[in-house]
Amino acid sequence: DGSSPGAPPSVFRRTVVPGYDPASLETTQEWATSADGTRVPVFVTGRRGAPRDGRRPAILYGYGGFNVAITPSFSASRALWMTAYDGVFASATLRGGGEYGTAWRDAGSVLNKQHVFDDFGAAAGMLSAKGFTSPSRLAVQGGSNGGTLAAATANQFPDRIAAALVQVGVH
């Protein structure tokens, strides 16, 4: 049943949404190159086999702070948005977060905060360069520290995005 230590994981509960096929979406790990040359992982999810022609709407999510790890996860609302609008959802693993230890966190903290903004701007640019979307179809999103990130991106990289969803930004 997956409840004992060392047992393989098992499905606890499966939600079935009529008309939604989870196999219709795929996630790939892509890489953006930040301003200082640092490689930044970006997880991109969208319709399996969709052409990379820059025509799909996309949302790029990020946080990049306080040692918080942002890892790939399932969201019913994002899956339904991708399915209904043939959209792309991307999540950037930015410096300042806790994904790769204290050196990664410190590289985006305090006097190094600009690295986080550069990482996110690079992720936005990569999504367009690789044809997942185009600047006129890309929105960035973040809340709290990520809200500050989305606002900074709108100000520093306006040519790479069309909109910023700034949720309770710490400004």
Side-chain angles (χ1 to χ4, degrees), residues 36 38-39 41 63-70 93-117 119 145:
D36 66 353
T38 299
R39 287 174 32 106
Y63 189 78
F66 300 101
N67 207 36
V68 173
I70 303 297
T93 306
L94 309 169
R95 287 179 280 183
E99 298 87 355
Y100 297 112
T102 55
W104 187 258
R105 180 207 59 211
D106 292 349
S109 299
V110 193
L111 297 178
N112 294 320
K113 193 65 182 171
Q114 183 61 46
H115 289 158
V116 182
F117 306 148
D119 292 356
N145 180 68

Side-chain angles (χ1 to χ4, degrees), residues 32 86 120 142 151:
D86 195 23
F120 206 50

Side-chain angles (χ1 to χ4, degrees), residues 34-57:
S34 196
D36 66 353
T38 299
R39 287 174 32 106
V40 178
V42 182
F43 293 92
V44 183
T45 304
R47 180 172 46 90
R48 185 177 301 281
R52 292 189 183 182
D53 58 9
R55 296 183 179 183
R56 299 166 69 217

Side-chain angles (χ1 to χ4, degrees), residues 13-95:
R13 174 180 43 203
R14 184 178 308 269
T15 301
V16 177
V17 178
Y20 168 67
D21 175 14
S24 68
L25 299 175
E26 68 180 345
T27 300
T28 61
Q29 183 178 18
E30 306 292 335
W31 297 88
T33 303
S34 196
D36 66 353
T38 299
R39 287 174 32 106
V40 178
V42 182
F43 293 92
V44 183
T45 304
R47 180 172 46 90
R48 185 177 301 281
R52 292 189 183 182
D53 58 9
R55 296 183 179 183
R56 299 166 69 217
I59 297 172
L60 172 60
Y61 176 81
Y63 189 78
F66 300 101
N67 207 36
V68 173
I70 303 297
T71 57
S73 62
F74 176 76
S75 163
S77 61
R78 288 177 180 150
L80 293 175
W81 176 80
M82 287 182 278
T83 301
Y85 296 100
D86 195 23
V88 173
F89 177 79
S91 179
T93 306
L94 309 169
R95 287 179 280 183

Side-chain angles (χ1 to χ4, degrees), residues 135-146:
S136 66
R137 297 170 189 254
L138 177 60
V140 292
Q141 178 186 18
S144 187
N145 180 68

